[in-house]
Amino acid sequence: MLGFMDYVQQSFFSASHWDRDNSYGALTATARALLDFPTPSGFRLNFSSLSSPNFATSYTLGSIGEVDGSLSYLYSSLPLQIPSKSSEIPLRHIIQGYRQLRELRRPDEPWWWEIWHGGQRMDRRDTLLYGRLYLPTSHLEALYLRRISPITQLKISCVSSSTLKNGGSILFLLQQDVGKYSTEFLYSTDSALLGVRGLYNFGPDPREGARSPELEVIAQEKRKLEGKEASTGMKGRFSAGAEMYYGLLNKSGGISTGIRFATLPSHSGFPYTMALTLNPLMGNLSSTYAVKAGRSLALCSRFDFNFYSYESELQVGMELWRRRRQNATQDLSWAQKKLQESGWSDSVVQPSLALKKEKLGNEYNDENTAGILKARINQDWGVGLIWEGKVKELLYTCGVLIDFKKREQIFRGVGLEIQYSS
């Protein structure tokens, strides 16, 4: 489950029209959410608040052998009109699970961001500031995020700790996303690391879409004259990307590449995502497959293989959403039968019932979600389980790590985390 500050940061991306999924770093995001989910250790409390649309605070208190905690503050120049109370936040907004890719969005035009008043430009670029102090270690984290243009974003992350070399490090990340492709350039003061990575999406370019209904009609007529049928939209998206980095101080580098195919919402069958990544220098090959097998069930598998050492690893996982039972009054079959017996035609009965079922379906997805169970197991019989949900005004996450090979100590870790926000 996402922390409150992570939830606010994701809301900032959505409000500023930044697609987090269109990057090389998110190539295997679905598999990581279903297989690499963290399990809580010990007991931890989180108290958070969005005191205004621009300012948020969070306090954490935990006990893992010793008492520790953290203080977090966040400022956004872009007002965030989002649910902040823990009882009102939809679980699907804070629980990371199967991620359905959306259609690529055409970037905003630069002049859309201009605000003029009295002949002078008054617009400012959206900015987010975040800081977190860990106690009692005095470990400090900071984040500066700025939308430079509709397709460009600058992200600066800082870490300060006495346990790190040189007392800390700074990471500069310049991101560009034009829809058809995205690029990222990074520099880290740790080992003077330089890197670049990119992602290319095959298929239509969202920048070439029609800008008005009139232009869309002209484009369709042009396709007909050229003997081409009107496009019905892709059912899936194929993407390919790569990254390269090199450390100037330690004289070492790395490279990786990957491909992904994922279905889009227009796909009539069940949603699924396939990805394959390769690190040729280390000899690592990883393949993942995730499928949303039902309304409440998602399955995922990952196979890793090293063609230098011939070592392999297999891991499978799942997520299961638990929903509350609907009331008997929500069953509309009796109403349909009565109306048909009274002589009402299907053209009147079916649309009204379909609209009512759609409304109930939306409520069933959001309000009637009781929680989610996530589980994973690997070839060494290591099992991870977490249960996340909502009780009254509280959000909770409880989890356990089990190792069946160590009979003397099967349970490797047990934890409970509770969040409250206002």
Side-chain angles (χ1 to χ4, degrees):
M1 181 180 294
L2 291 177
F4 184 78
M5 289 303 190
D6 295 326
Y7 163 67
V8 175
Q9 291 181 32
Q10 289 195 4
S11 301
F12 176 85
F13 292 136
S14 300
S16 60
H17 300 159
W18 184 262
D19 189 358
R20 298 179 298 109
D21 294 326
N22 194 29
S23 67
Y24 182 75
L27 197 69
T28 58
T30 293
R32 294 197 304 268
L34 296 177
L35 298 177
D36 299 332
F37 54 85
T39 56
S41 180
F43 181 72
R44 187 166 297 273
L45 290 173
N46 296 280
F47 302 95
S48 309
S49 173
L50 187 66
S51 55
S52 71
N54 303 89
F55 190 74
T57 58
S58 180
Y59 309 96
T60 302
L61 181 64
S63 175
I64 311 176
E66 62 179 9
V67 179
D68 60 358
S70 65
L71 309 175
S72 305
Y73 298 93
L74 183 145
Y75 168 77
S76 171
S77 62
L78 178 64
L80 302 176
Q81 305 295 337
I82 58 175
S84 59
K85 294 183 179 180
S86 51
S87 59
E88 299 176 355
I89 300 177
L91 288 179
R92 290 190 178 273
H93 290 181
I94 55 177
I95 295 181
Q96 295 180 307
Y98 185 90
R99 297 173 69 165
Q100 175 71 65
L101 292 184
R102 300 171 296 176
E103 298 284 352
L104 292 175
R105 179 182 179 274
R106 182 167 60 89
D108 296 343
E109 297 293 342
W111 58 270
W112 291 359
W113 287 26
E114 296 180 4
I115 300 176
W116 294 84
H117 181 72
Q120 296 182 352
R121 286 190 60 176
M122 307 297 292
D123 54 286
R124 296 181 179 180
R125 296 295 177 253
D126 297 329
T127 305
L128 184 142
L129 301 174
Y130 169 73
R132 184 173 186 177
L133 176 64
Y134 293 86
L135 300 173
T137 59
S138 298
H139 180 89
L140 180 63
E141 294 179 353
L143 172 66
Y144 174 81
L145 189 64
R146 184 177 180 85
R147 292 297 311 275
I148 300 177
S149 70
I151 63 172
T152 309
Q153 177 175 271
L154 175 63
K155 183 178 181 180
I156 303 177
S157 305
C158 309
V159 178
S160 176
S161 177
S162 59
T163 59
L164 298 177
K165 185 180 179 180
N166 300 324
S169 64
I170 304 177
L171 174 64
F172 300 87
L173 182 62
L174 182 64
Q175 301 172 294
Q176 291 183 326
D177 181 9
V178 298
K180 180 68 173 179
Y181 63 89
S182 66
T183 56
E184 297 176 277
F185 304 91
L186 63 90
Y187 172 76
S188 175
T189 58
D190 186 14
S191 302
L193 183 68
L194 292 172
V196 58
R197 56 187 179 183
L199 181 72
Y200 182 83
N201 299 305
F202 295 87
D205 191 339
R207 295 172 297 176
E208 298 177 357
R211 300 174 184 268
S212 65
E214 294 79 7
L215 293 179
E216 177 62 25
V217 173
I218 295 174
Q220 291 180 359
E221 294 297 331
K222 183 179 179 181
R223 287 194 293 266
K224 290 180 180 179
L225 293 176
E226 294 176 352
K228 299 178 180 179
E229 297 182 356
S231 174
T232 58
M234 293 189 65
K235 302 302 182 183
R237 183 188 306 154
F238 182 76
S239 307
E243 68 173 351
M244 297 180 292
Y245 53 90
Y246 182 77
L248 300 178
L249 297 183
N250 54 20
K251 307 298 182 182
S252 63
I255 183 174
S256 70
T257 183
I259 57 176
R260 178 189 64 191
F261 179 82
T263 57
L264 298 175
S266 58
H267 181 61
S268 59
F270 53 82
Y272 64 91
T273 301
M274 299 182 294
L276 179 68
T277 58
L278 171 66
N279 188 328
L281 297 182
M282 303 299 296
N284 291 329
L285 180 67
S286 178
S287 61
T288 63
Y289 178 76
V291 57
K292 195 168 180 59
R295 186 179 183 183
S296 306
L297 177 65
L299 306 173
C300 182
S301 64
R302 178 171 60 198
F303 178 74
D304 297 327
F305 178 74
N306 189 287
F307 48 78
Y308 292 151
S309 63
Y310 298 103
E311 294 181 351
S312 62
E313 182 181 0
L314 176 64
Q315 192 172 15
V316 295
M318 55 84 72
E319 68 171 8
L320 178 63
W321 290 81
R322 179 180 178 272
R323 306 180 186 278
R324 299 186 180 94
R325 293 183 178 179
Q326 291 180 298
N327 297 329
T329 56
Q330 293 180 344
D331 185 5
L332 304 178
S333 58
W334 64 272
Q336 181 179 3
K337 184 178 179 180
K338 289 292 184 181
L339 289 174
Q340 290 176 345
E341 291 177 353
S342 300
W344 289 84
S345 62
D346 292 341
S347 60
V348 177
V349 175
Q350 295 295 343
S352 59
L353 291 178
L355 180 61
K356 183 65 176 179
K357 289 181 179 179
E358 180 180 358
K359 181 179 179 181
L360 291 176
N362 294 334
E363 294 176 356
Y364 188 69
N365 284 334
D366 297 332
E367 298 177 3
N368 292 339
T369 301
I372 178 176
L373 172 67
K374 286 187 178 183
R376 65 168 182 259
I377 183 172
N378 57 28
Q379 63 185 22
D380 297 324
W381 293 100
V383 178
L385 298 170
I386 62 170
W387 173 259
E388 299 174 308
K390 182 188 302 184
V391 175
K392 301 296 182 179
E393 303 289 331
L394 301 177
L395 299 171
Y396 66 88
T397 301
C398 55
V400 59
L401 290 176
I402 304 174
D403 189 351
F404 287 102
K405 281 193 173 182
K406 296 185 178 180
R407 300 295 181 87
E408 67 280 359
Q409 189 178 359
I410 294 181
F411 294 97
R412 306 299 296 174
V414 179
L416 173 65
E417 182 175 352
I418 296 178
Q419 299 186 41
Y420 172 81
S421 60
S422 62

